[in-house]
Amino acid sequence: EPGRPRRRTPVSTTVGDWMRREVQTVSRDLTLAQLEERFLHDRVTGFPVVGADGSLVGMVSRSDVVRQLSVERTWAETLSGPLRRSES
C-alpha cells in the first residue's frame, strides 16, 4: 500500500539496513594484550585491521585471539614444564 511503511523480514532486510556506519578499527601493530583490552572496552567481537595509511588489511575476531593465546600458553607450558620420568 502506498504511504504505509514496508514491513522488514529477513528476506527483505539487507546488511546495509543493519550495518554500523561508524566503525572502530585497530592497527596491525597492536599487541594481542592491547587488542584484548579493546575487545573488553568496546564490547565488540571483531575489528577491521588497518595499515598505517588507513587502508583495510584484514579482520580479527575475539575468538582468533583466544585461540592464539591458548596455543601460545600451551606451547609455553610445554617448554617450561619439568620433564618427569615415571618412577617404577
Side-chain angles (χ1 to χ4, degrees):
E1 251 178 75
R4 189 170 183 187
R6 198 169 111 210
R7 180 177 238 186
R8 296 272 182 194
T9 67
V11 174
S12 67
T13 303
T14 66
V15 172
D17 294 331
W18 283 91
M19 71 180 189
R20 293 180 180 191
R21 294 195 187 337
E22 295 177 19
V23 179
Q24 298 293 322
T25 62
V26 294
S27 164
R28 68 184 316 156
D29 299 325
L30 214 60
T31 66
L32 288 180
Q34 292 168 322
L35 180 61
E36 185 60 20
E37 286 179 29
R38 287 288 308 273
F39 281 128
L40 294 172
H41 180 265
D42 294 350
R43 297 182 180 175
V44 296
T45 59
F47 286 105
V49 180
V50 296
D53 63 355
S55 63
L56 180 66
V57 295
M59 290 288 298
V60 65
S61 71
R62 190 157 192 204
S63 61
D64 293 335
V65 174
V66 169
R67 186 173 31 259
Q68 182 62 33
L69 291 176
S70 174
V71 167
E72 287 180 12
R73 285 186 189 121
T74 301
W75 183 245
E77 289 168 3
T78 300
L79 291 178
S80 66
L83 294 175
R84 296 184 184 176
R85 285 182 146 178
S86 71
E87 308 221 358
S88 319

